Amino acid sequence: MKQTMFAKACRWLYRRPVLVMGLFGLVYMACFNLLERLPRQVHLVECSLDTYVPFVSSAVIPYVAWFAWVPAVLFFLMYIDRTRFWRGFSAMVGGIVVTLVLYAVWPTGLNLRGAVPDTGLCSHLVRMIYAMDTPTNVCPSLHVFVTVVLLCALWDRLGTIARLLNGTLAVAICCSTVLLDQHSVIDVVMGLVLAVTMWYVSRWTRFGQRETAKSENNIFPAKSVFERMLSEN
């Protein structure tokens, strides 16, 4: 009886991905804000490469673009391929949970931020980010982790031009985290490693296995969403 109720609940949630995303977003923000406010001793993360990375205030543009790109990718995947959406979302959720546990068990911080020169709108946005986001809970970088996981989920559902545009934006987002002194190079590397690991692990989830079965039963390579739209017309 319990398994049946659980299965029904899972099916009910599976048909309501927007609700699931909203609920997870609320839980994540509550946990992250709690960790930000807890008075704890942090371990500074830094390496010699950090001293060679210049501060570039214009890097705030791709950094802020991330907040629009992430939901756009999720809704796009939800529309074109529900199985791929759930695989990408489950990999993202799993990695975020791992990251929050790491933040709780081994708090990390930075000592890289300096004075932001007053050079215009970009500098103003950087100061706003510094005011809202403390230099703690930084390793691994969630900006990098989420970007790479969603790019993996998105990659073979796009055409050549869309791959180039999204790949370029993803690289710019990852670079922006160090160019704004928001993260150390170590944070970026750890975020990349976690993303690749979680995407690989997601292959053995129910959604990953279902996706593999679908591809094995199809003798033709999957078309991009744009190719399908053209063929339908």
Side-chain angles (χ1 to χ4, degrees):
M1 182 65 179
K2 290 183 178 179
Q3 292 182 347
T4 302
M5 292 298 294
F6 178 75
K8 287 182 178 179
C10 289
R11 285 194 295 268
W12 189 85
L13 291 172
Y14 179 81
R15 292 192 293 268
R16 293 163 177 82
V18 177
L19 175 63
V20 175
M21 286 193 297
L23 290 175
F24 176 75
L26 292 175
V27 172
Y28 161 73
M29 289 303 299
C31 294
F32 186 81
N33 287 331
L34 176 63
L35 291 174
E36 286 277 285
R37 286 164 172 73
L38 285 177
R40 299 175 298 164
Q41 182 179 1
V42 300
H43 302 83
L44 291 181
V45 179
E46 56 185 14
C47 68
S48 58
L49 291 177
D50 295 330
T51 60
Y52 296 99
V53 179
F55 174 82
V56 182
S57 61
S58 58
V60 74
I61 297 173
Y63 188 88
V64 173
W66 179 85
F67 294 96
W69 182 77
V70 169
V73 170
L74 289 172
F75 277 105
F76 178 77
L77 289 173
M78 189 192 311
Y79 173 73
I80 66 165
D81 190 334
R82 190 62 61 89
T83 301
R84 173 55 67 97
F85 162 80
W86 280 114
R87 180 184 174 186
F89 184 73
S90 62
M92 186 181 75
V93 169
I96 290 176
V97 170
V98 170
T99 301
L100 291 176
V101 171
L102 288 174
Y103 289 170
V105 175
W106 197 65
T108 52
L110 292 175
N111 190 25
L112 298 175
R113 292 180 179 180
V116 180
D118 190 5
T119 56
L121 178 61
C122 289
S123 296
H124 178 66
L125 289 174
V126 173
R127 284 193 292 270
M128 287 179 59
I129 292 172
Y130 281 7
M132 294 185 295
D133 187 13
T134 64
T136 56
N137 300 319
V138 295
C139 187
S141 167
L142 278 176
H143 248 69
V144 172
F145 164 73
V146 173
T147 299
V148 176
V149 161
L150 291 187
L151 187 65
C152 290
L154 190 64
W155 191 252
D156 59 1
R157 297 302 188 267
L158 298 176
T160 303
I161 296 177
R163 285 182 179 180
L164 178 62
L165 292 174
N166 282 274
T168 301
L169 178 59
V171 171
I173 290 171
C174 293
C175 290
S176 71
T177 62
V178 291
L179 293 174
L180 294 176
D181 293 333
Q182 281 288 86
H183 286 282
S184 165
V185 174
I186 295 175
D187 306 333
V188 174
V189 173
M190 294 304 294
L192 177 61
V193 170
L194 180 61
V196 173
T197 301
M198 292 308 300
W199 180 248
Y200 185 74
V201 169
S202 71
R203 183 177 180 180
W204 281 273
T205 64
R206 180 180 179 183
F207 308 112
Q209 291 175 348
R210 184 183 299 176
E211 189 177 66
T212 302
K214 285 169 61 179
S215 63
E216 289 176 350
N217 292 331
N218 187 4
I219 61 174
F220 300 104
K223 295 181 179 180
S224 72
V225 63
F226 306 107
E227 293 171 330
R228 291 200 297 269
M229 290 171 64
L230 290 173
S231 63
E232 290 174 358
N233 294 331

